[in-house]
Amino acid sequence: MQLIYLADFYTQMRMLRETRCSIVSALHSDQDQIDDQYIIQLKRTEDQLRAIPKKNGLYQLKTCEDDEILLELDYELSELEKDRIYLEQGQKALEDHLANIHTDFKKQVKQGVEFLNNKKFDHFITDRDGTIANYCGRYQSSIQPIYNAIFLSDFAKKISGKSVILTSAPLYHIGLLEISVQPKEDYVLAGSKGREFVDVNGDKFQYPIEEKQQKKLEQLNEAIEKILEKKEFSAFRYIGSGLQHKFGQTTLARQDKNKSIPEERSQQLKQSVEQLLKNLDPDGQFFRLEDTGKDLEIMLTVKKDKQKEVEDFNKGHGVKFIAKKLKLETQNKKMLICGDTASDLPILQAAKDLQADVTCIFVTTDDALKKEVREICPDAFIVSTPDVLVTLLQKYATSSTFDD
């Protein structure tokens, strides 16, 4: 079947997740051989993606309104290739492949294992995208690859307490739960910066939102839905982050990395949302709007301590909420924190506030961020890509010797 519409593409991605989940389950049950049908399905998916028509070097799909959307599929195709190498040729072949595409891959992995050597961790908290997962142009097609799930699962088994994946993306409704592949018992999955999370036992938790705030957020979401019903704005559902109803926050893409949307129309959407916020919250009491250039992030504010002053909910708030609800022992406990942007620094600070003994690994090439990380957490190690991080975590966990 040739993929023509975005809806077909996303259907294929959901099927890919099911296939990957089945393979990961089989690998965890120590089956001698993976069902050939799974391997065939992976290859068929890769072939379908490569067969999508191209325009100006990008893959061309249509929305249901027949608007043209141009996509790069680097993430989807590269992760399928890595999975195929891992399943057909083994981990060493995958590492050789990663060494070919990442500068100093083996050197960084070896140094990272040495950095972690002789350290035992009580808890592990990590960001997802850009940290333990490579970036994808569209969140709902950023399905976790098989090798990544296995590597992270191996590491989780080395942690004596809790392992947490904490992301700003939603947990439900095309959220973290729907793109994850690793076994559910390995990680606490936390979305919306930690406002909502699911424990390994399946217990669900949500950060309390005042009734008045919740009502405002519902009004906001209903109004945004109406905006997207207009033909000129309908394509914004399908590009980049799309429309994400997070817990306590709403994200709406206004552009993607390929600039598929004319800038004039992107600005018109932004102005429509700004006017909507003025009507709903003229005094700025409930919401704050942040424009990243690609996404419009509309966040509910939270009270700063018991003062009237308000601030944005960040991942540090989320960490403290999770620690409280799960009754984590943190004082003097060894905690490993991983991140890749300034938005992950509050995780480090929250761990410090909880009196944990903090070690961190950040994925960045930004010298200013490296400096900030080390100022908060002197026991820090820096790597250049998520592939380096997940590989060194797996090797540390399995005590593998690194093959030069």
Side-chain angles (χ1 to χ4, degrees):
M1 180 185 79
Q2 185 175 16
L3 302 179
I4 298 174
Y5 289 94
L6 271 169
D8 298 329
F9 167 73
Y10 288 128
T11 296
Q12 195 64 46
M13 291 299 99
R14 288 191 291 273
M15 292 172 61
L16 173 61
R17 179 183 179 269
E18 293 177 7
T19 300
R20 281 174 165 163
C21 282
S22 297
I23 294 174
V24 169
S25 178
L27 291 171
H28 271 275
S29 61
D30 295 323
Q31 291 185 15
D32 293 334
Q33 189 172 0
I34 301 299
D35 191 325
D36 288 342
Q37 287 302 314
Y38 292 142
I39 306 297
I40 292 171
Q41 181 58 45
L42 288 178
K43 185 64 170 67
R44 184 181 297 130
T45 300
E46 185 175 349
D47 290 343
Q48 284 181 310
L49 295 183
R50 294 191 187 281
I52 296 172
K54 277 190 166 184
K55 181 178 179 179
N56 299 328
L58 298 172
Y59 293 90
Q60 182 180 3
L61 289 170
K62 295 180 180 180
T63 69
C64 56
E65 291 84 11
D66 280 336
D67 285 341
E68 177 188 282
I69 297 292
L70 297 178
L71 310 173
E72 51 77 22
L73 298 178
D74 295 349
Y75 174 90
E76 292 85 350
L77 290 169
S78 64
E79 299 300 351
L80 278 165
E81 181 182 15
K82 292 172 193 174
D83 273 350
R84 184 160 41 79
I85 294 171
Y86 178 67
L87 294 172
E88 294 176 352
Q89 302 175 49
Q91 183 169 334
K92 184 181 183 305
L94 173 63
E95 290 171 9
D96 289 341
H97 172 71
L98 295 175
N100 286 332
I101 62 177
H102 299 306
T103 303
D104 292 333
F105 173 81
K106 291 192 175 184
K107 179 181 178 182
Q108 289 184 68
V109 171
K110 185 174 182 179
Q111 290 176 342
V113 174
E114 291 171 351
F115 171 75
L116 293 179
N117 192 31
N118 298 324
K119 294 177 180 176
K120 293 184 179 180
F121 297 102
D122 298 290
H123 304 298
F124 172 48
I125 302 176
T126 180
D127 168 58
R128 180 185 187 268
D129 299 287
T131 302
I132 56 169
N134 292 300
Y135 277 116
C136 177
R138 293 143 304 282
Y139 192 77
Q140 57 183 304
S141 65
S142 63
I143 310 300
Q144 184 182 23
I146 294 159
Y147 76 93
N148 184 281
I150 295 297
F151 286 9
L152 289 174
S153 180
D154 285 345
F155 183 72
K157 290 175 174 58
K158 194 79 171 179
I159 302 298
S160 60
K162 294 288 187 181
S163 294
V164 181
I165 295 176
L166 173 60
T167 175
S168 60
L171 188 59
Y172 306 99
H173 312 301
I174 313 178
L176 181 59
L177 283 171
E178 293 160 290
I179 61 173
S180 296
V181 170
Q182 78 271 333
K184 295 179 181 179
E185 64 269 19
D186 288 342
Y187 284 86
V188 175
L189 297 183
S192 306
K193 300 179 182 176
R195 279 184 180 267
E196 53 179 351
F197 70 92
V198 176
D199 194 6
V200 294
N201 300 316
D203 296 326
K204 302 175 182 179
F205 300 86
Q206 292 181 327
Y207 189 90
I209 295 178
E210 293 179 5
E211 184 178 347
K212 195 173 181 181
Q213 280 190 314
Q214 185 61 45
K215 186 175 180 181
K216 282 286 185 182
L217 187 60
E218 290 170 359
Q219 290 175 342
L220 170 75
N221 290 334
E222 288 173 5
I224 288 177
E225 291 284 356
K226 289 181 179 178
I227 288 175
L228 296 183
E229 287 174 3
K230 297 179 180 179
K231 189 175 188 305
E232 65 267 30
F233 295 142
S234 62
F236 290 98
R237 287 184 184 276
Y238 308 107
I239 66 165
S241 300
L243 174 62
Q244 296 183 352
H245 294 304
K246 305 174 183 180
F247 193 75
Q249 181 176 332
T250 296
T251 297
L252 176 60
R254 74 173 186 89
Q255 190 54 275
D256 61 16
K257 62 187 296 185
N258 301 315
K259 297 187 176 180
S260 301
I261 303 294
E263 185 58 27
E264 182 180 358
R265 198 189 310 177
S266 176
Q267 289 295 335
Q268 287 173 349
L269 177 75
K270 179 182 177 182
Q271 290 166 8
S272 296
V273 172
E274 288 174 336
Q275 185 58 52
L276 169 60
L277 289 174
K278 285 181 182 178
N279 295 338
L280 276 177
D281 185 24
D283 299 325
Q285 181 181 356
F286 298 98
F287 300 112
R288 190 178 77 82
L289 172 66
E290 179 179 322
D291 179 11
T292 69
K294 293 185 178 69
D295 294 334
L296 299 175
E297 301 275 7
I298 307 165
M299 297 162 279
L300 279 179
T301 56
V302 294
K303 289 183 180 178
K304 193 171 184 180
D305 298 324
K306 295 184 179 179
Q307 305 171 16
K308 293 183 179 179
E309 199 176 340
V310 296
E311 62 180 346
D312 297 337
F313 189 96
N314 61 45
K315 291 179 181 178
H317 295 112
V319 167
K320 292 179 180 179
F321 174 60
I322 293 167
K324 179 180 179 181
K325 287 297 180 181
L326 297 184
K327 299 179 181 178
L328 298 187
E329 293 184 17
T330 58
Q331 188 172 0
N332 299 322
K333 296 296 182 180
K334 192 69 179 174
M335 190 178 293
L336 177 64
I337 306 292
C338 295
D340 76 306
T341 68
S343 68
D344 299 315
L345 295 178
I347 303 178
L348 285 177
Q349 189 58 57
K352 292 278 189 177
D353 293 344
L354 293 169
Q355 300 180 35
D357 180 6
V358 183
T359 295
C360 74
I361 302 178
F362 261 61
V363 182
T364 184
T365 57
D366 184 329
D367 290 336
L369 180 59
K370 292 177 187 178
K371 182 180 178 182
E372 287 187 86
V373 168
R374 291 189 171 109
E375 286 175 352
I376 300 174
C377 177
D379 191 23
F381 185 70
I382 307 296
V383 299
S384 61
T385 73
D387 284 336
V388 170
L389 175 56
V390 295
T391 304
L392 74 86
L393 292 179
Q394 192 271 345
K395 285 193 166 291
Y396 158 82
T398 56
S399 301
S400 299
T401 56
F402 194 73
D403 186 357
D404 293 317

